[in-house]
Amino acid sequence: PSMVWKMLVDVPVNRKDLENIDRYLIQCLDDIINIHKKGVDENSFSEIIQEKFVTTLSDGSEAELIPGGRTKILTFDARVEWAELVEKTRLYEFKKQAEAIRKGLCLIVPEGVLNLLTWRELETIVCGKPILDLDLLKENTVYRGITESDAVVEFFWKALTEFTPEERSMYLRFVWGRSRLPLTSKDFPMKHTVELLRKGNVESDIMLPVAHTCFFQIELPKYSTYEILRDKLRYAIKNCQAIDTDGRAYDIWDEDD
């Protein structure tokens, strides 16, 4: 989340960063701040809102907003102050951990250089681009048992081209256990492998593709049409996201034999 990356490059965090990880909290804070617009006043406030000066952190633990906050009842007049304290506490709940990470980064990257980066640049350097670069993926793809000109391979790349950015990330997780590509070709620890799936007398069009995340590999049945490949691949990436079940597809087909 942006909140963490901003802290790593020593950039102030704001309400929008908190909203990115807990939109419901922001909605609740706004509702309480503006509750007077719904006709609620100091007389009826306590009948509707039963809060104290505490907030729940991301790990489920409870933090006091002020000393003795667990026993201090929220009142109508104190609601804005309470909301500001909740927001501030949640914004900086990761500060200690972020400072430790930043300290470690500065052992590798000089602090002056780290401070020159924007938080988005640091995120991209560490995690890669958020949108899967198909050209980069193609440059780092090898084929086994099929060639780039085979129909099923053309179907495959056409499907990835037409997939949404979210579906492309899901494909990468399906085939490699991660959601982003390295930044450049030289950063790839292995090549993306596309192989033809062969499974006895089972009809190809009823089979699902098989991924081997440890080897960045996908095995494609020899589908007869683009639409069948697209639908089977989309089903696989959306319903088979666990990275510890390589080979399970084979078991499924064995059960059907």
Side-chain angles (χ1 to χ4, degrees), residues 24-126:
Y24 178 71
L25 172 68
I26 296 299
Q27 291 175 345
C28 290
L29 294 180
D30 287 341
D31 286 343
I32 291 177
I33 290 173
N34 298 304
I35 200 168
H36 62 287
K37 296 180 180 179
K38 298 180 180 179
V40 177
D41 58 19
E42 59 271 16
N43 296 318
S44 55
F45 183 81
S46 61
E47 298 176 3
I48 301 171
I49 304 297
Q50 289 87 38
E51 291 286 347
K52 297 180 181 179
F53 275 70
V54 295
T55 188
T56 303
L57 304 180
S58 298
D59 63 358
S61 63
E62 190 177 74
E64 287 189 325
L65 304 177
I66 59 174
R70 287 185 175 86
T71 59
K72 184 175 176 61
I73 303 297
L74 175 61
T75 64
F76 179 82
D77 292 336
R79 71 190 190 284
V80 175
E81 176 194 3
W82 173 85
E84 291 174 349
L85 288 170
V86 170
E87 184 177 318
K88 182 178 179 181
T89 300
R90 291 298 310 279
L91 274 174
Y92 292 98
E93 65 173 295
F94 309 116
K95 185 177 181 181
K96 184 177 180 180
Q97 292 84 351
E99 287 176 346
I101 296 173
R102 177 179 167 85
K103 184 177 180 180
L105 278 174
C106 289
L107 295 177
I108 303 172
V109 181
E111 186 173 7
V113 175
L114 185 61
N115 289 339
L116 292 175
L117 297 174
T118 67
W119 70 268
R120 291 186 184 278
E121 289 172 336
L122 180 61
E123 180 190 23
T124 300
I125 291 171
V126 174

Side-chain angles (χ1 to χ4, degrees), residues 2-253:
S2 59
M3 184 184 299
V4 175
W5 296 109
K6 284 185 175 182
M7 290 182 182
L8 294 181
V9 294
D10 201 23
V11 170
V13 292
N14 56 48
R15 202 170 199 261
K16 185 65 177 177
D17 299 312
L18 180 56
E19 185 176 11
N20 287 337
I21 65 170
D22 198 339
R23 182 174 299 177
Y24 178 71
L25 172 68
I26 296 299
Q27 291 175 345
C28 290
L29 294 180
D30 287 341
D31 286 343
I32 291 177
I33 290 173
N34 298 304
I35 200 168
H36 62 287
K37 296 180 180 179
K38 298 180 180 179
V40 177
D41 58 19
E42 59 271 16
N43 296 318
S44 55
F45 183 81
S46 61
E47 298 176 3
I48 301 171
I49 304 297
Q50 289 87 38
E51 291 286 347
K52 297 180 181 179
F53 275 70
V54 295
T55 188
T56 303
L57 304 180
S58 298
D59 63 358
S61 63
E62 190 177 74
E64 287 189 325
L65 304 177
I66 59 174
R70 287 185 175 86
T71 59
K72 184 175 176 61
I73 303 297
L74 175 61
T75 64
F76 179 82
D77 292 336
R79 71 190 190 284
V80 175
E81 176 194 3
W82 173 85
E84 291 174 349
L85 288 170
V86 170
E87 184 177 318
K88 182 178 179 181
T89 300
R90 291 298 310 279
L91 274 174
Y92 292 98
E93 65 173 295
F94 309 116
K95 185 177 181 181
K96 184 177 180 180
Q97 292 84 351
E99 287 176 346
I101 296 173
R102 177 179 167 85
K103 184 177 180 180
L105 278 174
C106 289
L107 295 177
I108 303 172
V109 181
E111 186 173 7
V113 175
L114 185 61
N115 289 339
L116 292 175
L117 297 174
T118 67
W119 70 268
R120 291 186 184 278
E121 289 172 336
L122 180 61
E123 180 190 23
T124 300
I125 291 171
V126 174
C127 300
K129 297 178 181 178
I131 297 179
L132 190 151
D133 185 338
L134 280 183
D135 290 333
L136 181 61
L137 183 61
K138 282 184 179 181
E139 289 174 11
N140 292 277
T141 297
V142 295
Y143 304 93
R144 292 179 184 171
I146 47 178
T147 66
E148 192 172 2
S149 60
D150 285 351
V152 68
V153 175
E154 293 181 352
F155 296 160
F156 168 73
W157 288 114
K158 181 180 179 181
L160 286 184
T161 300
E162 294 184 0
F163 279 2
T164 65
E166 181 183 4
E167 287 174 329
R168 292 183 190 178
S169 292
M170 293 172 70
Y171 168 73
L172 195 59
R173 179 167 178 78
F174 172 70
V175 77
W176 204 11
R178 55 190 289 176
S179 58
R180 299 190 186 194
L181 288 176
L183 280 178
T184 66
S185 292
K186 68 179 182 179
D187 297 320
F188 276 70
M190 64 183 72
K191 294 293 186 180
H192 172 232
T193 302
V194 178
E195 187 170 346
L196 188 65
L197 176 61
R198 307 179 191 277
K199 185 56 179 171
N201 296 321
V202 179
E203 183 182 346
S204 295
D205 284 348
I206 68 171
M207 299 175 69
L208 290 171
V210 175
H212 303 281
T213 54
C214 293
F215 305 105
F216 196 10
Q217 176 183 346
I218 186 168
E219 296 184 53
L220 295 173
K222 196 171 184 179
Y223 295 118
S224 60
T225 68
Y226 163 69
E227 290 75 18
I228 293 174
L229 180 143
R230 178 199 61 202
D231 294 345
K232 295 292 186 182
L233 182 59
R234 179 174 279 141
Y235 179 88
I237 65 175
K238 291 187 176 182
N239 294 278
C240 308
Q241 296 187 18
I243 65 173
D244 59 351
T245 54
D246 287 352
R248 178 55 185 159
Y250 285 116
D251 298 337
I252 293 173
W253 297 122

